[in-house]
Amino acid sequence: MNLEAVKEKIRQVPDFPKKGIQFLDITTGIKDAKTLKTMIDFLYDQYKDKKIDYVAGIESRGFIFGMPLAYKLNAGFIPIRKPNKLPAETITESYDLEYGSDSIEIHADAIEEGANVVVIDDLLATGGTATAACNLIKKAGGKVDSAAFIIELTPLKGADKIRNTGVDVISMLKYDLD
Ligand code: AMP
């Protein structure tokens, strides 16, 4: 399945969750078996020849893509979650939003020193969320191999933000949207 055909399966919803946001809805992609397979196979192809110890998925849509990737790579899966969801001791990282700030957490004992970790989310916009996720992995003792996304909104330059922290970025579908 070519990339344009995959893009056609992703629904665009204007003004969600608020006015001015063009929401890229992956639910219409993942409900189609061929599209789902093309997406997961794309991610798998990036990493199949590397030694990846863990896939870290960012809540919540990063879980959808991260878990099958981990399974295919024979790697473990680590959830990066919104605050106060993980039950044991956590490490927290805050990041700026357009208005205010947000934070994400990882279990403090989730990663062995030096383990090779891939960070996965559905979509890269400004890169704030994924940069915070990469920082969490490093704080927890891991090495971030790269961050990978199904969708990248290129005008927002999130990839540059992540690369500036020394982490490689991979994305399947590029959109000229901001
Ligand atoms: P950012 O931190 O700005 O890179 O935002 C990335 C996070 O917000 C990801 O977890 C995305 O799922 C979500 N997100 C941001 N913009 C959109 C959008 N236009 N459509 C769907 N999800 C989005």
Side-chain angles (χ1 to χ4, degrees), residues 8 10 12-13 25 28 31 73 99 101 120 141 159 172 178:
E8 278 169 22
I10 295 173
Q12 297 197 21
V13 183
D25 176 18
T28 48
K31 80 170 224 188
L73 289 171
Y99 304 103
S101 70
I120 299 285
M172 182 186 190
D178 56 15

Side-chain angles (χ1 to χ4, degrees), residues 139-154:
K139 277 189 188 172
K143 179 185 159 301
V144 184
D145 177 276
S146 48
F149 307 87
I150 298 298
I151 296 167
E152 176 183 352
L153 306 185
T154 49

Side-chain angles (χ1 to χ4, degrees), residues 1-10 35 38-39 42-43 46 150 171-175:
M1 200 172 169
N2 70 40
L3 296 184
E4 277 312 307
V6 174
K7 273 188 166 180
E8 278 169 22
K9 291 287 182 188
I10 295 173
T35 308
T38 306
M39 288 168 163
F42 170 86
L43 295 173
Q46 311 304 312
I150 298 298
S171 64
M172 182 186 190
L173 309 170
K174 273 102 178 150
Y175 283 77

Side-chain angles (χ1 to χ4, degrees), residues 19-178:
K19 210 166 170 42
I21 306 269
Q22 183 78 351
F23 194 88
L24 292 173
D25 176 18
I26 53 107
T27 67
T28 48
I30 59 176
K31 80 170 224 188
D32 180 69
K34 269 193 193 155
T35 308
L36 175 61
K37 184 168 171 32
T38 306
M39 288 168 163
I40 302 304
D41 287 350
F42 170 86
L43 295 173
Y44 176 66
D45 284 344
Q46 311 304 312
Y47 297 109
K48 62 179 194 279
D49 300 323
K50 283 186 165 178
K51 174 78 188 86
I52 303 298
D53 298 305
Y54 296 109
V55 175
I58 303 176
E59 183 173 358
S60 57
R61 291 184 294 274
F63 295 176
I64 293 171
F65 297 102
M67 176 61 87
L69 175 63
Y71 182 82
K72 283 189 73 130
L73 289 171
N74 287 315
F77 179 82
I78 296 172
I80 294 180
R81 297 210 61 180
K82 292 174 180 150
N84 305 314
K85 300 279 190 188
L86 292 169
E89 189 193 335
T90 55
I91 305 173
T92 303
E93 180 84 9
S94 296
Y95 55 98
D96 291 332
L97 298 174
E98 198 177 346
Y99 304 103
S101 70
D102 215 338
S103 52
I104 49 175
E105 298 186 339
I106 192 170
H107 270 141
D109 63 357
I111 300 172
E112 296 77 34
E113 196 66 35
N116 201 27
V117 183
V118 170
V119 170
I120 299 285
D121 205 356
D122 66 328
L123 184 144
L124 171 62
T126 65
T129 313
T131 301
C134 294
N135 290 343
L136 276 182
I137 304 293
K138 292 174 192 166
K139 277 189 188 172
K143 179 185 159 301
V144 184
D145 177 276
S146 48
F149 307 87
I150 298 298
I151 296 167
E152 176 183 352
L153 306 185
T154 49
L156 294 175
K157 302 209 182 308
D160 290 346
K161 185 182 174 88
I162 298 170
R163 288 192 182 109
N164 285 339
T165 69
V167 171
D168 269 355
V169 177
I170 291 166
S171 64
M172 182 186 190
L173 309 170
K174 273 102 178 150
Y175 283 77
D176 191 14
L177 288 171
D178 56 15

